[in-house]
Amino acid sequence: MSERPLSFLDRPNSYIGKSVPRPNAQRLLQGRGVFVDDIRLPRLLHAAFLRSPYAHARIKHIDTAAASRRPGVVRVVTAADLAGLCTPWVGVLTHLKGMKSAPQHPLARDRACWQGEPVAAVAAESRAEAEDALAEIAVEWEELPPLASAEAALAPGARAIHDTLGDNLAFARAVDAGAVDDAFARADAVVAETFTFARHTGVCPEPRSILAEFDPGDRRLTLYCSSQAPHMMKEIVLRHFPLAETDVRVVCRDVGGSYGVKIHVYPDEMAVIALALLLGRPVKFVADRLESFVSDIHAREHRVAARMAVSRTGEILAIAIDDLTGIGPYSTYPRSSAVEGNQIVGLTGSWYRSANYRARLRVAFQTKPPMSQYRAVGHPIACAVTEGLVDLAARAIAMDPAELRRRNLIADEAYPWKSPAGLLFEKLSHQRALERMLELMDYEGLRREQRDLRAKGIHRGIGLASFVEITNPGPAFYGVGGAPISAQDGCSVRLEPGGSVTCAISVTEQGQGTETMVAQIVASVLGVALARVRVVTGDTERTPYGGGTWASRGTGIGGEAALQAAKALRANILDLAGAMLQAAPGDLDIAEGWIVDAETGARRIGLEEVGRAGYFRGDTLPPLTQPELMATRHHQPRDYPFAFTNGVQASWLELDIETGFVRLLKHWVVEDCGRMVSPLLVDEQIRGGVVQGLGAALFEECLYDAAGQLRNGTLADYLVPMAAEMPDIEVAHLETPLAGTELGAKGIGEAGTAGAPAAVMNAINDALAPLGARVSEQPITPARILRALGRL
């Protein structure tokens, strides 16, 4: 715990560090999103999109005449119709040197570059009428050769998808730190593996959705959308549509899950905005599940060739990786599609002491849906590569894998630490986390049980995975690259006349508990009941400016802003109460909604009396007393580019070598996310992240054929983890408060996803080891296990 206690946060009646009920939980679980039944907008139109059936094809001609005559159809548009309304965008970050991408438009012009790219749009009185009209649009196509794989896209002589770019290399990065060649030359053992990770997607409970309402009279656009970052979305609209800054409002109510899918700009959503401006009527679009599979961003498609050098005494001497990834035909706007690969290069091996590291990254354009940031961007791949190599190295020198980690993890007293790739770690707890994990799971006992069961022909495996997680990103993450994404968040806290508190904050709610976390902080500082705090999020006209919720930043950045705003309001309340009571503010306190004597706790006046006096009875106050019953504060990370968390995960599973099926028996997580505001929310964020990580490890894969056609674009074919397959997930915590903030909180939203695939992969390979087999391709399906065993 912190050596610098915060008096009002550490009091017995504080809500910090306590699991509390979530009054809004049922509302969030309903997943109704921004388009609730009680919204009634006049003359609402519905949009539907004609999407390319080909991965790569030239659009020779589009005939929309028949579709325009369909009942209920108001307008059919193609790219040419929207050219004057929306300027194109290019998804590059200028600080990623050499990165390139082609301009992108709301609707494909001349060519379609992935199966599912929107080509034409229909606006009609109902969704059914709009979809019926799509069948009447006649397109003359000229199918072009696809480039479905990154290997094909970068092969010598490959035709550039975009001629203006010259080739299909979107971005490249190299790192060469230390004496890598010397380390490999003097190693007692060198292990190597090529790890393959399948492309998959977010499968949000609520699909992407947008409603654009444009009032031609005053030229005001109100945008209701399921976005994680409303202020970013407003800036995007201002950049690409002919509207003034004061004429755009973006509202993002409770979003039904996002996982990073909803922080990007999508062509169909830009087309909806353009239709609203063109027609002067509200236009609504909700992607159906079939559309989501071919239009939502994908992620994780990487092939990583990796090596590790190790001494016979268990010292990791060097790591080298070569990462190749394909990102689709465009880099996603505005965050780009290079960040995932860039983070893999930065993160791999970073939690171990070795100073010798070499990495190469190549990011290729291809004719599949765009890839970009998805929960735990790059972390699951970096972790699986690193931890897979560690287990291989342990086997090569006949050392227990837990012991090899113990000898190489950064020492807890060694901070601050700089990794070979340049990442700065303030203060982590890898060694303590490992020891806590081995105790929690009874590692030695499981090893004994494993040996006994192997003698009976039962194949069980134990997998460990240490990791770090990037949280609380500062301006060096996106703003320095030119993206309109704020690194700060703001919070306004107001005392109402009746003694309740309203808090407006720029971080957003997607079901992870943002509103509960903020309310706990504000209620603790102001000494009011949790139920007396109302939190408002997701509205550019009602909240201070801020970045929104992504990259595990809600508590670390938004929570700190809430803390500082509540402290400022608390001081103002005590100043006013002191004037009313003719007492020094320092002699007063706030507890349970009352102004009390700081020494004795005796109640003096209620907060409602302070509120009424401040708002309505200024005549009763001493001269020169100016009530200030609202306070706003912002927070932006400055000391470090990121706040890293760390942890360890472990998996215990059983493998059926006849069928290749894996049964997950138990999963453990030890996590250090700094000060915990709500342990219940922390635990469930970890468990939810673990489940998504298990999906990547065992189930989820977007299967494409050589022509770039998605073969499993429905939930009948695309496997996601279900409750029946999930193990019990036990979570334990360490707390190393972040020194750069008063709250001391880091993020937690992606840690579970970061380490779970590596732990499961290592456990499966541990079960396979006596049989001389191993797997390195995710998802690890029964067929892949049987092939590794030579049984398929």
Side-chain angles (χ1 to χ4, degrees):
M1 293 295 291
S2 173
E3 297 176 357
R4 179 173 40 83
L6 310 177
S7 60
F8 48 82
L9 296 180
D10 293 325
R11 293 175 176 178
N13 63 345
S14 169
Y15 293 102
I16 303 301
K18 297 178 183 178
S19 299
V20 299
R22 296 179 57 194
N24 60 338
Q26 185 60 43
R27 171 164 55 91
L28 294 174
L29 290 174
Q30 289 171 352
R32 293 167 65 187
V34 299
F35 302 112
V36 294
D37 296 337
D38 56 356
I39 288 182
R40 293 290 183 267
L41 295 175
R43 304 172 62 227
L44 175 68
L45 298 177
H46 297 259
F49 291 89
L50 179 70
R51 300 181 183 274
S52 172
Y54 301 107
H56 197 196
R58 182 170 289 110
I59 304 168
K60 300 185 72 175
H61 180 68
I62 303 179
D63 185 348
T64 63
S68 299
R69 293 191 294 268
R70 292 286 303 180
V73 171
V74 174
R75 188 69 183 265
V76 182
V77 295
T78 63
D81 299 304
L82 305 184
L85 278 174
C86 179
T87 60
W89 57 89
V90 180
V92 300
L93 295 172
T94 56
H95 67 298
L96 299 181
K97 300 302 182 183
M99 187 181 182
K100 64 191 179 188
S101 187
Q104 196 172 2
H105 301 265
L107 299 173
R109 303 195 321 169
D110 305 325
R111 283 183 309 131
C113 295
W114 82 84
Q115 178 210 8
E117 183 173 7
V119 173
V122 176
E125 302 291 346
S126 72
R127 176 66 178 255
E129 288 171 320
E131 291 188 347
D132 287 346
L134 294 179
E136 301 293 333
I137 300 176
V139 182
E140 184 180 350
W141 298 96
E142 179 188 344
E143 192 170 1
L144 300 173
L147 287 171
S149 70
E151 291 85 354
L154 297 184
R159 174 74 181 269
I161 295 174
H162 305 289
D163 292 338
T164 56
L165 299 182
D167 58 33
N168 294 315
L169 184 65
F171 178 66
R173 181 189 174 191
V175 174
D176 200 338
V180 176
D181 292 332
D182 177 68
F184 275 101
R186 61 187 171 87
D188 293 308
V190 173
V191 295
E193 184 66 272
T194 296
F195 298 89
T196 304
F197 303 88
R199 171 181 282 249
H200 56 277
T201 188
V203 196
C204 300
E206 174 194 53
R208 290 186 298 109
S209 46
I210 184 169
L211 191 156
E213 180 187 12
F214 179 63
D215 185 336
D218 58 10
R219 291 194 57 77
R220 279 186 58 81
L221 174 73
T222 301
L223 196 63
Y224 301 89
C225 58
S226 56
S227 171
Q228 300 171 230
H231 286 97
M232 180 204 81
M233 196 63 195
K234 177 177 177 177
E235 293 298 323
I236 295 298
V237 171
L238 295 173
R239 285 190 177 193
H240 298 284
F241 293 93
L243 295 166
E245 188 172 45
T246 54
D247 293 339
V248 177
R249 177 189 181 191
V250 178
V251 180
C252 306
R253 297 182 184 171
D254 300 328
V255 174
S258 51
Y259 320 125
V261 170
K262 298 172 183 175
I263 54 172
H264 310 289
V265 170
Y266 289 90
D268 47 22
E269 296 180 8
M270 298 292 270
V272 168
I273 299 170
L275 280 168
L277 297 179
L278 183 67
L279 302 174
R281 292 175 62 175
V283 181
K284 168 183 171 181
F285 169 67
V286 181
D288 64 31
R289 190 62 69 185
L290 299 178
E291 287 179 297
S292 294
F293 274 109
V294 295
S295 64
D296 289 0
I297 60 102
H298 293 179
R300 308 279 206 259
E301 183 179 0
H302 289 256
R303 189 203 68 198
V304 184
R307 296 185 300 148
M308 178 177 282
V310 63
S311 72
R312 66 171 57 90
T313 59
E315 180 186 0
I316 296 174
L317 303 175
I319 300 173
I321 68 166
D322 188 344
D323 180 15
L324 174 63
T325 180
I327 59 166
Y330 301 97
S331 175
T332 305
Y333 185 66
R335 296 166 190 263
S336 93
S337 297
V339 172
E340 182 172 77
N342 198 51
Q343 292 199 168
I344 291 168
V345 167
L347 289 165
T348 298
S350 61
W351 47 97
Y352 291 108
R353 293 198 306 269
S354 174
N356 305 310
Y357 178 56
R358 178 177 293 153
R360 179 173 75 150
L361 168 67
R362 290 170 295 158
V363 178
F365 294 118
Q366 59 181 166
T367 55
K368 288 180 182 176
M371 289 212 319
S372 197
Q373 284 84 317
Y374 169 59
R375 191 176 193 175
V377 186
H379 291 69
I381 296 165
C383 185
V385 170
T386 303
E387 297 301 294
L389 289 175
V390 169
D391 271 25
L392 275 172
R395 195 164 292 119
I397 61 172
M399 181 176 288
D400 185 273
E403 180 59 29
L404 185 58
R405 287 173 171 82
R406 183 183 285 117
R407 296 187 185 193
N408 288 277
L409 287 166
I410 302 169
D412 293 351
E413 63 276 7
Y415 296 94
W417 183 273
K418 186 175 183 179
S419 78
L423 298 179
L424 300 176
F425 299 149
E426 180 204 51
K427 177 67 175 172
L428 301 178
S429 56
H430 284 296
Q431 294 287 349
R432 282 196 298 145
L434 178 62
E435 297 308 319
R436 180 73 180 94
M437 171 61 76
L438 298 179
E439 175 189 13
L440 181 70
M441 66 187 294
D442 185 16
Y443 182 75
E444 295 300 330
L446 284 182
R447 284 296 183 198
R448 289 191 296 271
E449 183 179 350
Q450 180 187 45
R451 288 191 293 269
D452 293 342
L453 290 172
R454 279 178 176 171
K456 301 175 183 178
I458 297 172
H459 302 274
R460 290 191 177 179
I462 301 168
L464 295 171
S466 293
F467 63 91
V468 294
E469 179 201 356
I470 290 174
T471 77
N472 299 6
F477 204 52
Y478 287 119
V480 70
I485 301 167
S486 178
Q488 70 170 13
D489 272 292
C491 181
S492 296
V493 185
R494 181 176 71 241
L495 179 68
E496 302 292 352
S500 65
V501 176
T502 298
C503 173
I505 192 164
S506 56
V507 290
T508 52
E509 178 67 86
Q510 294 111 50
Q512 71 277 59
T514 295
E515 294 178 7
T516 301
M517 172 272 296
V518 171
Q520 286 183 249
I521 292 172
V522 171
S524 298
V525 174
L526 294 179
V528 299
L530 197 63
R532 298 279 281 167
V533 178
R534 166 67 174 163
V535 179
V536 176
T537 64
D539 190 332
T540 58
E541 289 195 352
R542 298 179 65 193
T543 67
Y545 204 97
T549 300
W550 44 273
S552 300
R553 65 191 302 281
T555 302
I557 299 178
E560 181 69 18
L563 171 61
Q564 298 304 329
K567 284 178 61 182
L569 178 59
R570 182 178 184 274
N572 292 348
I573 291 171
L574 292 177
D575 284 344
L576 179 56
M580 295 170 64
L581 296 170
Q582 299 184 18
D587 293 336
L588 301 174
D589 200 354
I590 312 174
E592 299 178 342
W594 287 81
I595 304 297
V596 301
D597 184 276
E599 185 174 342
T600 67
R603 291 181 174 182
R604 304 290 300 273
I605 55 174
L607 281 180
E608 69 277 6
E609 294 181 63
V610 178
R612 285 196 292 267
Y615 288 117
F616 309 138
R617 294 304 309 273
D619 59 303
T620 65
L621 301 176
L624 303 181
T625 300
Q626 176 57 57
E628 294 287 353
L629 297 181
M630 182 173 180
T632 299
R633 293 293 184 271
H634 289 78
H635 176 69
Q636 176 173 282
R638 295 188 181 277
D639 295 339
Y640 283 77
F642 314 103
F644 282 89
T645 72
N646 70 273
V648 187
Q649 295 193 35
S651 176
W652 172 236
L653 53 78
E654 185 173 314
L655 177 62
D656 186 330
I657 64 172
E658 300 299 326
T659 64
F661 276 80
V662 173
R663 184 161 66 97
L664 301 171
L665 303 173
K666 189 72 180 281
H667 198 96
W668 297 267
V669 182
V670 174
E671 165 70 15
D672 186 341
C673 63
R675 179 191 287 268
M676 291 189 293
V677 173
S678 174
L680 175 63
L681 292 180
V682 169
D683 284 357
E684 296 316 309
Q685 277 287 289
I686 290 173
R687 290 190 175 100
V690 166
V691 169
Q692 279 190 292
L694 296 177
L698 298 174
F699 306 111
E700 297 189 54
E701 180 174 13
C702 294
L703 295 167
Y704 280 85
D705 63 21
Q709 295 288 315
L710 181 63
R711 294 162 48 202
N712 63 332
T714 76
L715 285 176
D717 307 297
Y718 181 94
L719 300 182
V720 294
M722 305 290 282
E725 293 97 22
M726 292 302 99
D728 179 47
I729 302 169
E730 186 174 353
V731 182
H733 301 283
L734 303 173
E735 288 188 275
T736 305
L738 183 66
T741 66
E742 192 172 354
L743 184 62
K746 306 176 187 180
I748 192 59
E750 297 165 290
T753 309
V760 169
M761 180 185 70
N762 282 346
I764 291 172
N765 284 326
D766 186 48
L768 288 171
L771 305 172
R774 61 177 287 104
V775 290
S776 58
E777 184 174 1
Q778 294 184 24
I780 306 170
T781 62
R784 287 176 177 141
I785 290 173
L786 292 177
R787 276 196 292 271
L789 289 166
R791 301 188 178 199
L792 190 65

